[in-house]
Amino acid sequence: CELRPGLIGWMLLNFGMLTAQYERTGAVSAPMLLVNLFQGLYVWDALYQEGAILSTMDITTDGFGWMLAFGDLAWVPFTYSLQARYLVDHDPGHSVITLTLIALLSLLGYTIFRRSNSQKDAFRRDPTAPNVKHLKTLKTARGTKLLVSGWWGMARKINYTGDWLLGLSWCLYCGFGSIIPY
């Protein structure tokens, strides 16, 4: 229940919003296509990298409960699809240059998100592997190792920086006509 139901629900809702826009206007706008493309990439990535979720705090520490069930089954599909829902009825009128810049922000966010998470997962699986054995660590009070070089030397939670940039880019596709997509 950690990933699949909520993420697949999110994509189904997004596709429904894309279809609704087409039925109402006879076309699908570039912002709607880009929101669906980049949110679809994010969902595909999560499903493709599903094995990496097993080493996250959600699974190793928090366990399954109300927050995980509610978050996955309700919060993710019905709030993460707000940008697509907004775009059904609103065209922000972005120029090609603006859309290109937002798409570059999406790509930057995805790159930071994927590379930092991949590095962390590789280190958790085998800290002696050739691609991560050079990374420096700091021993915590619990006795675990905290990465302090590579992606994780740039910021404590660098993967969230990528997530934040992705989320911001999805909102920017909607323009500034409402706070709802943000």
Side-chain angles (χ1 to χ4, degrees):
C1 184
E2 170 67 18
L3 286 177
R4 291 181 189 193
L7 295 181
I8 293 169
W10 173 17
M11 287 299 92
L12 291 173
L13 287 170
N14 269 16
F15 183 71
M17 302 305 170
L18 184 142
T19 303
Q21 186 187 60
Y22 181 78
E23 287 175 352
R24 290 181 187 185
T25 66
V28 176
S29 69
M32 178 67 87
L33 283 173
L34 290 166
V35 161
N36 273 271
L37 173 75
F38 284 108
Q39 289 184 351
L41 172 65
Y42 187 81
V43 168
W44 171 84
D45 179 86
L47 296 174
Y48 183 76
Q49 301 287 343
E50 191 173 23
I53 198 79
L54 298 175
S55 66
T56 66
M57 190 174 81
D58 291 0
I59 302 300
T60 62
T61 307
D62 295 346
F64 185 76
W66 167 254
M67 288 301 293
L68 186 57
F70 175 79
D72 187 51
L73 300 175
W75 184 260
V76 168
F78 293 106
T79 61
Y80 287 29
S81 61
L82 283 175
Q83 292 83 22
R85 174 61 189 99
Y86 180 81
L87 289 169
V88 169
D89 298 314
H90 302 89
D91 181 3
H94 290 315
S95 69
V96 172
I97 292 172
T98 300
L99 290 172
T100 301
L101 291 173
I102 298 170
L104 290 172
L105 181 64
S106 296
L107 290 171
L108 174 65
Y110 178 74
T111 300
I112 294 169
F113 167 80
R114 172 52 27 231
R115 289 189 176 181
S116 62
N117 276 319
S118 292
Q119 187 178 68
K120 176 177 64 174
D121 183 58
F123 183 80
R124 284 181 173 166
R125 289 179 186 274
D126 182 7
T128 63
N131 59 331
V132 292
K133 69 179 180 182
H134 68 281
L135 296 174
K136 296 177 183 169
T137 61
L138 178 70
K139 194 162 189 148
T140 67
R142 288 187 351 203
T144 59
K145 293 181 178 179
L146 183 66
L147 288 172
V148 294
S149 67
W151 282 99
W152 299 90
M154 291 185 224
R156 176 68 184 97
K157 297 284 187 178
I158 190 73
N159 58 329
Y160 294 153
T161 301
D163 253 333
W164 186 84
L165 292 173
L166 276 167
L168 175 63
S169 71
W170 301 336
C171 297
L172 290 173
Y173 288 118
C174 298
F176 298 102
S178 173
I179 192 69
I180 298 297
Y182 289 83

